[in-house]
Amino acid sequence: MRIREQNPAGRILLVCDNFSSHFATLVDHVIESLDITRLPLPRYYPRLKPSQQIWNCVHRDLSPRDVKDTDAFRHLVRSVYESYAEQISFADA
Protein backbone atom coordinates (compact mmCIF):
# COMPACT_ATOMS: atom_id res chain seq x y z
CA MET A 1 0.00 0.00 0.00
CA ARG A 2 1.13 3.52 -0.72
CA ILE A 3 1.03 4.67 2.89
CA ARG A 4 3.72 2.16 3.87
CA GLU A 5 5.76 2.90 0.74
CA GLN A 6 5.85 6.58 1.68
CA ASN A 7 6.78 5.77 5.27
CA PRO A 8 8.75 2.50 5.09
CA ALA A 9 10.38 2.56 8.52
CA GLY A 10 8.31 4.89 10.65
CA ARG A 11 5.35 4.22 12.86
CA ILE A 12 1.94 4.76 11.29
CA LEU A 13 -0.88 5.59 13.66
CA LEU A 14 -4.43 5.33 12.32
CA VAL A 15 -6.85 7.37 14.42
CA CYS A 16 -10.43 6.35 13.72
CA ASP A 17 -13.89 6.71 15.14
CA ASN A 18 -16.04 3.73 16.05
CA PHE A 19 -17.64 3.29 12.64
CA SER A 20 -18.07 -0.46 12.23
CA SER A 21 -16.20 -0.71 8.92
CA HIS A 22 -13.05 0.60 10.62
CA PHE A 23 -13.01 -2.66 12.58
CA ALA A 24 -13.98 -5.07 9.82
CA THR A 25 -11.95 -8.25 9.38
CA LEU A 26 -10.49 -7.01 6.08
CA VAL A 27 -9.32 -3.79 7.73
CA ASP A 28 -7.81 -5.81 10.58
CA HIS A 29 -5.79 -7.86 8.07
CA VAL A 30 -4.57 -4.77 6.19
CA ILE A 31 -3.57 -2.98 9.38
CA GLU A 32 -1.71 -6.04 10.60
CA SER A 33 0.04 -6.69 7.28
CA LEU A 34 1.22 -3.08 7.05
CA ASP A 35 2.21 -2.90 10.73
CA ILE A 36 -0.12 0.02 11.43
CA THR A 37 -1.25 0.95 14.93
CA ARG A 38 -4.97 1.68 15.18
CA LEU A 39 -6.15 4.13 17.84
CA PRO A 40 -9.93 4.16 18.22
CA LEU A 41 -11.45 7.35 19.59
CA PRO A 42 -14.04 7.05 22.35
CA ARG A 43 -17.63 7.60 21.27
CA TYR A 44 -18.82 11.20 21.45
CA TYR A 45 -15.71 12.55 23.07
CA PRO A 46 -15.84 16.25 22.12
CA ARG A 47 -12.31 17.09 23.27
CA LEU A 48 -10.86 14.65 20.72
CA LYS A 49 -13.54 15.12 18.07
CA PRO A 50 -14.76 18.73 18.31
CA SER A 51 -16.53 18.50 14.97
CA GLN A 52 -18.80 15.79 16.43
CA GLN A 53 -20.90 18.45 18.15
CA ILE A 54 -21.34 20.30 14.87
CA TRP A 55 -22.28 17.11 12.99
CA ASN A 56 -24.87 16.28 15.66
CA CYS A 57 -26.50 19.68 15.07
CA VAL A 58 -26.29 19.30 11.29
CA HIS A 59 -27.94 15.87 11.52
CA ARG A 60 -30.71 17.27 13.71
CA ASP A 61 -31.35 20.13 11.26
CA LEU A 62 -31.26 17.98 8.13
CA SER A 63 -33.31 15.02 9.36
CA PRO A 64 -36.75 16.55 8.72
CA ARG A 65 -35.79 18.07 5.36
CA ASP A 66 -36.36 16.74 1.88
CA VAL A 67 -34.22 17.72 -1.11
CA LYS A 68 -34.69 17.16 -4.82
CA ASP A 69 -31.28 15.71 -5.73
CA THR A 70 -27.76 14.91 -4.57
CA ASP A 71 -26.31 18.29 -5.54
CA ALA A 72 -29.00 20.11 -3.58
CA PHE A 73 -28.32 17.87 -0.58
CA ARG A 74 -24.56 18.51 -0.75
CA HIS A 75 -25.16 22.25 -0.91
CA LEU A 76 -27.55 22.08 2.05
CA VAL A 77 -25.13 20.02 4.17
CA ARG A 78 -22.28 22.40 3.37
CA SER A 79 -24.28 25.52 4.20
CA VAL A 80 -25.71 24.13 7.45
CA TYR A 81 -22.28 22.84 8.53
CA GLU A 82 -20.60 26.16 7.78
CA SER A 83 -23.26 28.11 9.68
CA TYR A 84 -22.57 26.00 12.79
CA ALA A 85 -18.79 25.98 12.33
CA GLU A 86 -18.74 29.79 12.41
CA GLN A 87 -20.37 29.92 15.84
CA ILE A 88 -17.90 30.72 18.56
CA SER A 89 -19.58 28.36 21.03
CA PHE A 90 -18.27 25.38 19.06
CA ALA A 91 -14.74 26.78 19.08
CA ASP A 92 -14.77 26.87 22.89
CA ALA A 93 -16.02 23.31 23.30
Side-chain angles (χ1 to χ4, degrees):
M1 295 275 212
R2 287 188 288 166
I3 192 167
R4 182 48 75 195
E5 290 170 3
Q6 292 176 6
N7 190 15
R11 182 177 182 201
I12 297 174
L13 180 64
L14 174 64
V15 179
C16 57
D17 60 17
N18 286 295
F19 190 59
S20 60
S21 66
H22 297 163
F23 296 90
T25 303
L26 176 62
V27 175
D28 291 342
H29 292 305
V30 171
I31 286 173
E32 185 177 315
S33 70
L34 296 175
D35 192 27
I36 293 175
T37 303
R38 178 174 39 203
L39 175 65
L41 292 176
R43 293 183 189 269
Y44 304 111
Y45 196 80
R47 295 278 182 224
L48 294 178
K49 296 191 305 184
S51 65
Q52 183 69 47
Q53 294 176 19
I54 296 174
W55 283 116
N56 289 342
C57 292
V58 170
H59 181 262
R60 182 190 66 230
D61 284 5
L62 296 180
S63 292
R65 298 190 189 190
D66 189 25
V67 292
K68 62 182 177 180
D69 58 34
T70 304
D71 288 334
F73 182 72
R74 285 185 180 136
H75 176 73
L76 182 61
V77 170
R78 184 175 291 119
S79 65
V80 171
Y81 181 90
E82 288 173 356
S83 70
Y84 279 111
E86 292 173 358
Q87 295 179 21
I88 193 69
S89 62
F90 286 106
D92 290 338

